[in-house]
Amino acid sequence: MREVNLAEEPLLKKEDAEEHQQETIREMGLTVAEWAVRVTMCAVFFCGVAFIALISTQSSRETLVWLLEHMRAYPLGLTGAFLLLFGGPFLVLVIFAIISLAMSSSSNKTKAIKKKVRGRSSLQNQPIVVEGLLGVMSAAELLWIAVFMAIFTWMVVNYMIRDFHAAETEPREDYETVWGRKVKLEGVRLGFIGIICLNLLFLPVSRGSVLFRSIDIPFEHATKYHVWLGHFVMTLFTLHGLFFIIPWYFEGHLIARLLSWEPYELAILPGVIALVAGIMMWVTSLGWVRQKFFELFFYTHQLYIVFMVFMALHVGDFVFSITFVGFFLFVFDRFLRFCQSRSTVGVLSVKLLPCGTYELVLAKPQGLKYHALSFVFINVPGISSLQWHPFSVSSSPYDGDDRLKVLIKPYGEWTHQLQDAVSAAVTRGPCPFGQQVAVEGPYGHESDYFLQYETLLMVAGGIGVSPFVAIIRDLLQRYQRQQNHLPTDVTLIWAVKKSEELQLLDLVSPSSICPQYDLKFNLKVHTFVTQEAEPVPLESGRQTTDRQQCDMFKKSRILSSLYDFEASKRPMSILVGTSSNLWVGIGLIASMLGYWFLENLVVYSYEGFYHHSYNTLPLWARGLFNIMSIILGVVCFGGSVIALWSIWYQFSKQKTEGDSKSTQPLLDADEDITTVANECGDQLVHPSNTQFGHRPDLKELFEACAKRQRAGGNVGVLVCGPETLQTSVAENCRSFNTTYYNTYKVGFSYHSVSFDL
């Protein structure tokens, strides 16, 4: 027997070694493939940027004219030529982005967090500008803005040199002056550059955009790029209009030109209507208008439909095709969101805190993944069928694969009405939630990037603690599962106005999730009550003992509804851009082919029926058919794929439920808590870590954190709260990364998880 064991032992070890070697080779191959895809994407991107920058030169213009003349004979003529030249690089990027996301999802996730961030912060996480009209800007963002403005300046200067010479030497109309001709030519150039930038404007507002997901820029971060581009694009279009209006006024035919609608030239009146709609959106999106009159901003922004339709009527099909990729991706994403939001989502349970904040537990399909810093959009038709509000997810994916949680603090009328429904639900007991709920999402980062830091410093203001509740829950769950390479030093700095808001952290029971968690990692909480000078006493005029002070932090009952198991049968729809890269990719390709088919169908039908070239059709009509082909291509052809996706999911769901022994969801570790913890030791907030009457001294807290780190360390700084708090945190990160870096040798990487529309 001994000889058999000795003979078998090397065989088993050899098999294990071969399996490990194959796994290593597979990971190496996948890593090489991912790098190859990313390098290719970078090459395609820079080629596209170079093409756009060079078309303003005389030599490139001659080459472009020659190329367009030769492409007229191919299907769709100039429209197809412009689409391939200006949209081709973006289409290639979309394809490679889908491939990159597919490879990333199949790679080993633990590999991504083994390598901790060390040394100085990256350019993307190093704030440079912390105050100003554009808000907090990182070094990478500032660099990209500089490159963008350099290309813009290069194009404008090249156009001016060429156009000023043409205005002085080429023939012009009798009523035109030289300066008027120059101004109008520059107006054309600014409009052309604006059309190119309009292609980029729609990319950040595609919530499930594969392009931004492939570089891990979530929607809540991309929205600020939409704001920046929106200001720039509308400045160009406004100047474009003024550079024609002013010469026309002095030439004496302003009104006649503004009302003109020529069939075979650029139609002016649609352009005027598009510009007016754009200016209305622009003005109502300014910061102070948006904050004070959000509903005005929201409803006025729906004029983008008017803006794009009349833009197509104004410029025609081949110029409008320059904006194809950005607008096409936006339409596909919007249609996908529409499909997801049609289903009613079950509310498993609700909790109402004495401070007025409430928690919703939403049913989620088990195949739909999210991360601790994800967010969702929620709509309650009983309150408003048009309003969608974003909320950070406050749960960990490990809390239960069939649900996610959101914390909501009542601010405006919508959240107060929803609070009334929650209050009614907790008093009814076993009755289901009284309001129908629709959900879009979840959206957010492609990975749990906070796991790449050994030390986390989280700074929150008010309800901004919600995403950090999710992180704390997530870390506790991961430590309980004995995962490796996790942050070992976690600090939460939380500022609230009233002490009653501190009850938000009572929703987390650390010991019930991870017993003896304090032996596994260092979790510190510093809370600051800014508008109270001291704790509110239990009874006026009485001295309080330490035990009574502890009771002040847990004296109120958290009201909770009973678990509604029937609601689990109505989970969120799986039809979301972040759900399945395969189905999204197929849907995009089908929509693209649908557009191409419909556009060719219009061309050949017109030529076959009227026996005339498609170019004899008025320019504005061709622009209208072009935008209709985009929309119908997505709805009809992409919609067919989405319908198959939904059918496939329902079939898979039924098969899974048939194999499962129980369809009832399991309660997570702290789901059944209706009161706060019985002992102060299990509370994250208690008298010893709470200060009253002042704001946190961020510099002092940053310094204390830096002293705990080894030289060469890097602290992940996450902030969620009002703009003033984000500015203060960014300023401290900048200071400790520059002025104080030589003292502590510790980098602070800035991450904003705030959602500002």
Side-chain angles (χ1 to χ4, degrees):
M1 294 295 295
R2 181 177 180 83
E3 293 180 358
V4 173
N5 290 334
L6 289 173
E8 291 180 352
E9 186 175 356
L11 179 62
L12 293 175
K13 289 185 177 180
K14 183 178 179 180
E15 291 178 352
D16 292 341
E18 290 179 352
E19 184 178 353
H20 177 72
Q21 184 179 10
Q22 292 177 358
E23 181 66 20
T24 302
I25 294 174
R26 191 190 73 85
E27 290 185 359
M28 289 178 59
L30 192 59
T31 301
V32 171
E34 288 179 357
W35 274 102
V37 169
R38 292 187 180 277
V39 170
T40 304
M41 291 179 67
C42 290
V44 172
F45 173 77
F46 285 114
C47 287
V49 172
F51 168 76
I52 293 174
L54 291 175
I55 59 176
S56 60
T57 62
Q58 181 63 31
S59 58
S60 298
R61 178 178 180 274
E62 294 173 356
T63 304
L64 181 62
V65 171
W66 176 85
L67 188 61
L68 292 175
E69 287 297 328
H70 284 73
M71 294 182 70
R72 279 179 177 271
Y74 292 93
L76 299 185
L78 286 178
T79 302
F82 270 77
L83 192 155
L84 291 176
L85 291 174
F86 290 92
F90 287 99
L91 293 176
V92 174
L93 286 176
V94 168
I95 294 173
F96 277 100
I98 296 172
I99 297 174
S100 176
L101 289 170
M103 289 191 299
S104 298
S105 62
S106 62
S107 63
N108 189 354
K109 297 301 180 182
T110 59
K111 180 182 177 182
I113 61 174
K114 287 181 180 179
K115 186 178 179 181
K116 297 296 182 181
V117 177
R118 302 286 296 172
R120 290 182 179 271
S121 301
S122 64
L123 294 179
Q124 183 63 33
N125 301 322
Q126 169 57 53
I128 297 297
V129 178
V130 298
E131 290 183 306
L133 295 175
L134 300 182
V136 178
M137 284 194 298
S138 67
E141 291 169 344
L142 195 62
L143 179 62
W144 280 113
I145 290 176
V147 171
F148 183 87
M149 294 307 298
I151 295 175
F152 169 72
T153 305
W154 160 269
M155 296 180 69
V156 170
V157 170
N158 277 309
Y159 281 135
M160 288 179 65
I161 294 173
R162 193 172 74 199
D163 294 339
F164 281 14
H165 179 265
E168 294 173 354
T169 58
E170 295 179 359
R172 59 182 182 275
E173 300 292 340
D174 295 336
Y175 54 80
E176 283 186 312
T177 61
V178 174
W179 73 266
R181 180 66 173 170
K182 291 180 178 178
V183 170
K184 284 189 282 188
L185 284 174
E186 292 314 300
V188 172
R189 305 310 181 190
L190 292 177
F192 177 70
I193 297 174
I195 288 286
I196 295 175
C197 295
L198 187 62
N199 191 25
L200 304 176
L201 183 64
F202 283 98
L203 295 178
V205 289
S206 299
R207 296 175 185 171
S209 171
V210 293
L211 290 177
F212 279 92
R213 287 176 55 212
S214 65
I215 54 179
D216 200 19
I217 297 181
F219 172 69
E220 70 268 27
H221 292 180
T223 50
K224 69 177 180 181
Y225 304 140
H226 174 75
V227 174
W228 297 353
L229 282 168
H231 290 312
F232 184 76
V233 167
M234 284 313 304
T235 299
L236 292 181
F237 284 151
T238 303
L239 291 175
H240 166 74
L242 290 175
F243 280 17
F244 281 94
I245 290 174
I246 294 174
W248 288 342
Y249 173 78
F250 285 102
E251 291 167 2
H253 51 252
L254 174 61
I255 302 300
R257 293 296 294 164
L258 291 179
L259 298 179
S260 65
W261 193 323
E262 298 295 334
Y264 301 107
E265 298 178 3
L266 298 185
I268 307 301
L269 182 57
V272 173
I273 297 174
L275 182 59
V276 171
I279 291 176
M280 291 177 64
M281 289 189 291
W282 188 21
V283 172
T284 55
S285 66
L286 297 176
W288 65 273
V289 178
R290 187 176 68 249
Q291 293 173 5
K292 292 185 177 180
F293 309 99
F294 180 80
E295 290 192 2
L296 176 64
F297 153 76
F298 176 79
Y299 291 118
T300 306
H301 236 61
Q302 308 311 309
L303 289 174
Y304 77 88
I305 301 174
V306 176
F307 177 80
M308 291 304 296
V309 170
F310 281 90
M311 175 69 72
L313 297 176
H314 172 56
V315 299
D317 55 342
F318 64 91
V319 176
F320 186 76
S321 63
I322 296 175
T323 69
F324 170 80
V325 176
F327 184 65
F328 165 76
L329 291 177
F330 171 78
V331 172
F332 181 82
D333 179 80
R334 187 66 189 87
F335 181 69
L336 199 58
R337 286 158 44 199
F338 171 81
C339 294
Q340 187 192 26
S341 62
R342 292 308 91 195
S343 60
T344 301
V345 178
V347 179
L348 299 176
S349 67
V350 295
K351 291 179 182 178
L352 179 62
L353 279 69
C355 62
T357 301
Y358 46 96
E359 181 185 68
L360 302 182
V361 182
L362 304 173
K364 181 187 73 69
Q366 295 187 3
L368 187 61
K369 305 300 182 182
Y370 72 99
H371 299 283
L373 289 176
S374 297
F375 66 94
V376 295
F377 283 82
I378 295 179
N379 170 260
V380 182
I383 300 176
S384 173
S385 58
L386 297 178
Q387 292 189 34
W388 290 82
H389 294 262
F391 297 100
S392 298
V393 173
S394 60
S395 59
S396 164
Y398 295 103
D399 286 343
D401 197 29
D402 58 355
R403 84 217 50 191
L404 59 79
K405 304 175 183 179
V406 293
L407 279 173
I408 303 175
K409 181 178 181 179
Y411 276 115
E413 181 180 355
W414 188 91
T415 50
H416 274 98
Q417 292 186 41
L418 185 56
Q419 183 192 42
D420 294 338
V422 170
S423 179
V426 297
T427 56
R428 284 196 303 263
C431 297
F433 189 59
Q435 291 281 359
Q436 291 186 344
V437 175
V439 177
E440 289 182 3
Y443 304 105
H445 284 274
E446 288 298 298
S447 62
D448 295 303
Y449 67 88
F450 59 89
L451 297 178
Q452 65 185 334
Y453 298 101
E454 291 183 355
T455 302
L456 288 178
L457 184 61
M458 304 180 295
V459 187
I463 193 61
V465 77
S466 179
F468 303 142
V469 169
I471 288 181
I472 293 173
R473 280 173 166 165
D474 194 61
L475 291 176
L476 291 169
Q477 294 278 12
R478 289 176 183 271
Y479 270 105
Q480 178 63 17
R481 286 164 172 76
Q482 299 181 353
Q483 294 186 10
N484 299 319
H485 312 290
L486 300 175
T488 57
D489 188 351
V490 180
T491 302
L492 172 63
I493 303 170
W494 184 26
V496 298
K497 294 180 179 179
K498 301 291 184 180
S499 58
E500 62 180 11
E501 298 180 51
L502 298 176
Q503 298 159 348
L504 285 174
L505 286 185
D506 291 340
L507 292 171
V508 181
S509 179
S511 296
S512 64
I513 300 175
C514 180
Q516 297 182 331
Y517 69 94
D518 52 336
L519 301 178
K520 300 179 181 180
F521 73 110
N522 183 24
L523 175 60
K524 293 184 178 180
V525 177
H526 301 278
T527 55
F528 298 83
V529 183
T530 60
Q531 295 186 4
E532 291 179 6
E534 59 184 9
V536 179
L538 293 175
E539 294 183 18
S540 179
R542 288 183 54 186
Q543 297 293 326
T544 58
T545 64
D546 292 340
R547 177 66 187 183
Q548 288 173 328
Q549 286 186 357
C550 179
D551 289 340
M552 294 178 193
F553 289 81
K554 59 185 183 62
K555 61 181 181 294
S556 300
R557 182 180 178 84
I558 299 177
L559 301 177
S560 177
S561 68
L562 295 181
Y563 212 91
D564 183 8
F565 290 102
E566 288 297 321
S568 63
K569 299 178 181 179
R570 304 189 307 275
M572 299 163 50
S573 172
I574 199 77
L575 305 176
V576 58
T578 57
S579 174
S580 172
N581 298 316
L582 175 63
W583 282 106
V584 170
I586 296 174
L588 284 170
I589 294 173
S591 300
M592 174 71 67
L593 295 176
Y595 160 78
W596 197 261
F597 170 78
L598 292 172
E599 191 74 359
N600 278 280
L601 181 64
V602 172
V603 172
Y604 291 123
S605 297
Y606 179 82
E607 292 179 349
F609 187 78
Y610 290 101
H611 304 289
H612 291 293
S613 171
Y614 185 67
N615 292 329
T616 61
L617 192 66
L619 192 62
W620 63 266
R622 283 183 278 159
L624 180 62
F625 285 134
N626 188 267
I627 195 172
M628 288 176 61
S629 297
I630 295 175
I631 297 173
L632 291 177
V634 170
V635 173
C636 297
F637 290 80
S640 300
V641 174
I642 294 173
L644 290 175
W645 182 7
S646 178
I647 294 172
W648 172 84
Y649 168 71
Q650 294 297 332
F651 174 77
S652 302
K653 179 182 176 182
Q654 292 176 1
K655 183 178 179 181
T656 303
E657 290 179 351
D659 297 337
S660 176
K661 295 180 180 180
S662 175
T663 59
Q664 290 189 343
L666 299 175
L667 300 181
D668 57 76
D670 60 350
E671 187 64 49
D672 59 346
I673 297 175
T674 57
T675 59
V676 293
N678 292 325
E679 300 295 336
C680 261
D682 196 38
Q683 287 182 263
L684 293 176
V685 179
H686 44 80
S688 63
N689 64 9
T690 304
Q691 300 181 41
F692 290 81
H694 63 89
R695 299 176 183 273
D697 187 343
L698 291 178
K699 181 180 178 181
E700 178 182 339
L701 293 167
F702 269 66
E703 187 174 11
C705 182
K707 290 179 178 179
R708 297 197 305 268
Q709 310 307 312
R710 294 175 297 176
N714 192 290
V715 179
V717 181
L718 287 72
V719 57
C720 185
E723 186 176 348
T724 54
L725 180 63
Q726 297 177 51
T727 300
S728 299
V729 173
E731 187 174 2
N732 277 276
C733 286
R734 183 179 63 179
S735 298
F736 278 84
N737 286 334
T738 53
T739 307
Y740 301 107
Y741 186 80
N742 291 331
T743 303
Y744 301 104
K745 303 294 184 182
V746 176
F748 286 82
S749 297
Y750 176 84
H751 299 271
S752 174
V753 295
S754 301
F755 196 102
D756 296 322
L757 286 177

